[in-house]
Amino acid sequence: MNVAIVTVGDELLAGETVDTNSTWLASELTDRGCTVTRITTVPDQIEVIAAVVNEYRAAADAVIVTGGLGPTHDDRTMEAVAAAVGRDLEHHPEAAAWLTSEGGYSADELDAGTTDLPAGARMLPNEAGVAPGAVIESIYVLPGVPTEMKAMFGHIAAEFSGEPIYTEVVVVDEPESALLDRLETVQQRFAVDVGSYPGEHVRVKFRGGDPEAVTAAADWFGQQVTVADSDTSEEP
């Protein structure tokens, strides 16, 4: 399953807020066997959000969008997603019912627009906040607040799956530039993905769907290099 991630917010692009959502989501999705094909941050602009979402939903099995939910003037994600799929943004009775029954709010406490979702969307309850999320076609819209996003992802995690990916890491006590010939050879000999990550030591990571091939590649490579005495490198 291929998944694209879109994070929304002027504050992310200005460097005022660190985008931890995409990193967390990418890790969760990878652990579930999905392949994250794109991660993009866009401003709080309806036309930009809609264009990117449309581009990515045509190229991926699912798109996860985080940020820009709520009734304030710069919360434009729901409107943009509605535009991307050619639907109106409208009051969602189920969202209102959940907020008043489970969320503990009275109808007059909710700001106008809080329960507006794209027509026909499936509402995702926000158990850690107020603004609901939504699923419309292959697009999953989640809050930008990390605690809210993580809680809401729990409701949809089972919808993301793929073949298991197996990983082995060899930590090498040699310069990365000195490993080029052996990196090329291991990729030719074994049907696995290989990545190298320099740091205090060079971490060479082997990934693939066949655990025996991954282990064989790591074992072979480990015999061709000077393996570090201890794994003190930072995990890539």
Side-chain angles (χ1 to χ4, degrees), residues 24-210:
W24 187 87
L25 282 168
S27 177
E28 290 290 313
L29 292 165
T30 299
D31 286 347
R32 301 189 67 82
C34 299
T35 299
V36 178
T37 57
R38 294 170 173 82
I39 297 177
T40 299
T41 302
V42 296
D44 295 303
Q45 297 177 18
I46 293 173
E47 65 278 8
V48 177
I49 301 168
V52 170
V53 168
N54 254 333
E55 176 187 349
Y56 288 1
R57 75 188 181 107
D61 299 311
V63 181
I64 298 178
V65 186
T66 73
L69 302 191
T72 61
H73 71 284
D74 59 348
D75 292 326
R76 299 170 176 171
T77 298
M78 281 300 182
E79 185 176 355
V81 170
V85 296
R87 304 196 186 192
D88 293 330
L89 197 66
E90 60 183 33
H91 173 69
H92 197 288
E94 185 182 355
W98 191 90
L99 282 166
T100 54
S101 62
E102 303 294 332
Y105 298 92
S106 64
D108 57 5
E109 288 179 310
L110 298 174
D111 293 326
T114 299
T115 59
D116 288 351
L117 301 179
R122 169 164 48 112
M123 186 272 295
L124 297 176
N126 189 341
E127 296 174 343
V130 180
V135 182
I136 183 71
E137 298 184 10
S138 61
I139 306 165
Y140 295 75
V141 188
L142 309 181
V145 178
T147 53
E148 298 180 22
M149 181 274 296
K150 292 176 182 179
M152 192 175 291
F153 182 77
H155 290 279
I156 58 173
E159 299 176 31
F160 296 88
S161 63
E163 294 299 322
I165 301 297
Y166 302 92
T167 302
E168 295 276 357
V169 176
V170 177
V171 184
V172 184
D173 192 13
E174 297 182 41
E176 186 180 36
S177 58
L179 300 174
L180 297 181
D181 57 338
R182 285 157 289 176
L183 288 170
E184 181 178 358
T185 301
V186 74
Q187 291 179 84
Q188 293 172 346
R189 290 174 63 109
F190 302 93
V192 298
D193 294 328
V194 182
S196 62
Y197 308 92
E200 183 177 348
H201 299 298
V202 179
R203 298 177 65 90
V204 180
K205 179 177 286 189
F206 302 90
R207 300 177 70 250
D210 183 346

